[in-house]
Amino acid sequence: MRLLHLFSTYAVFAAASGSDDPLISKYPGLVSWFTSNGGKIDPRITIGYDDKGIRGMIASDLIPEDTVLIDCPGDLVVKPEDIGNQCAHIEIIHEHLQAGEQSKWHTYFDFDDSLGSRVPGEWRTDRRAMTELQGLPPSGQTHRHIEWFRAHCKAGQEPSDLEIRAFKIFLTRAADMGLIPMYDLMNHHNGKINTHLQKSDDGGLQVIALTDIAPNEPIYNTYARSGWESSVDVFNTYGFVEDYPQLWQWGDNELDQRIENDPQHHFFRYIGNKLTGESPDPIPFEPNTPKYEVLVLSPDIAALFPTKNLVSILGNGQRSMEEWIELIDSHHRVLRASAVSDLLNSIKNLFENMPTTVEEDRRILASEKYAMQKVAKKGRNDTNKADVVQAVEYRLAFKEALQLAMDVAEKGTFVEDSDEL
């Protein structure tokens, strides 16, 4: 079971007051540990807050393009002998947590804040958060990661609290090549990504500036490269709604039946694709997924049924809004109106079966946040209320994307085609 790509790491840091943030105060000690063990990190990198109050890696001064930001040697990567054995990987992390100060990586794990945020797999199944998704993906799949861990690594036994922490570190921070100190502190942003990665011959990793990075600009990685994972996957694994661009996917019974009847069904969404035989020739328009999908660039710009080529930039570089608009216009000119009609009907069916509207969800979210803040002011941390806010915030973002997709479908111009899909 694949839980992570090489480029999937730690979720967005939670906002806090910089003056009393322990991770900011611990950062110099982490750098000292890292460099004393052979690692290199550009001195212009620090931990701080962006203009939205999100904590993460930030440039303290101008960093030119192509600068090696982080160089983690292979012997600092935490990994098992069999790198493909994910259970062994979790067990190695667990052993280091048990060892405490005796572990070479104690300073690194002491800096870990995985328990400071929650992911859907931690929601209680008997509480409100589970129903607040209103059937939207990842409904029914929120606990698939922890269920996999119990079944495959614990033989059905309940893991200890420390094993749960090891698993969550693995889930939210590990790359396929292991836990990579410093690299895993970068936040995710597929629209503003300013780094790229290069594996080292010794099994380590270099993080290199993709562009000039201005003072006070966050240093971004990606957790969902090239459209491999959607905004649904990002939320289900890391627990946050990613900023634009967002890639929303869903399905329904009718679509499932069409794909079962014709596995190449989704290729015919685009004029110009002609598939014959079991091994078709290269085609001009390859769909990113068989599912219904919308790529959202802003509150009013979206692409329906994006191709792999259209989403290939995600996590690999930046594109101006003008470039996006031009590409989306060209993309929609080859999209069949019949495919768009199917997507539109699916969205209408979703909205008809959900108990609240977008406008109602906005009011509900404000009310739930207010209730949570009241509890926090009394010095209590109500995780159930926080989970509800997390779920409502996510479903609102999903519904807003669906609403935008519906507007684009109704107002856009597509290729009229009477062929049966």
Side-chain angles (χ1 to χ4, degrees), residues 290-392:
K291 300 178 182 178
Y292 294 119
E293 185 173 50
V294 56
L295 171 64
V296 179
L297 280 307
S298 76
D300 54 5
I301 299 175
L304 309 181
F305 291 125
T307 59
K308 286 187 181 297
N309 182 61
L310 192 61
V311 301
S312 62
I313 190 71
L314 300 181
N316 295 304
Q318 300 182 10
R319 183 175 282 159
S320 71
M321 191 58 68
E322 291 75 17
E323 291 171 325
W324 274 117
I325 292 173
E326 182 178 352
L327 287 169
I328 290 172
D329 286 345
S330 297
H331 167 73
H332 284 166
R333 283 198 293 269
V334 301
L335 193 58
R336 294 177 187 262
S338 50
V340 174
S341 178
D342 290 339
L343 178 142
L344 180 59
N345 289 333
S346 176
I347 294 174
K348 289 180 177 179
N349 288 334
L350 283 174
F351 277 125
E352 287 174 2
N353 288 287
M354 286 186 284
T356 58
T357 65
V358 169
E359 292 73 20
E360 289 169 336
D361 280 352
R362 289 173 181 149
R363 294 193 293 270
I364 291 169
L365 180 60
S367 175
E368 293 292 347
K369 283 185 173 180
Y370 177 73
M372 186 175 68
Q373 289 166 358
K374 284 182 64 177
V375 170
K377 287 180 179 178
K378 296 178 181 179
R380 302 204 320 264
N381 180 25
D382 191 327
T383 56
N384 292 316
K385 286 186 181 297
D387 293 345
V388 168
V389 168
Q390 190 177 29
V392 174

Side-chain angles (χ1 to χ4, degrees), residues 13-30:
F13 285 122
S17 170
S19 61
D20 58 3
D21 188 327
L23 293 193
I24 289 180
S25 62
K26 287 181 178 180
Y27 179 70
L30 180 66

Side-chain angles (χ1 to χ4, degrees), residues 20 47 196 217 235 248 334 344 368:
D20 58 3
I47 296 290
H196 67 97
E217 181 181 348
F235 175 74
W248 298 95
V334 301
L344 180 59
E368 293 292 347

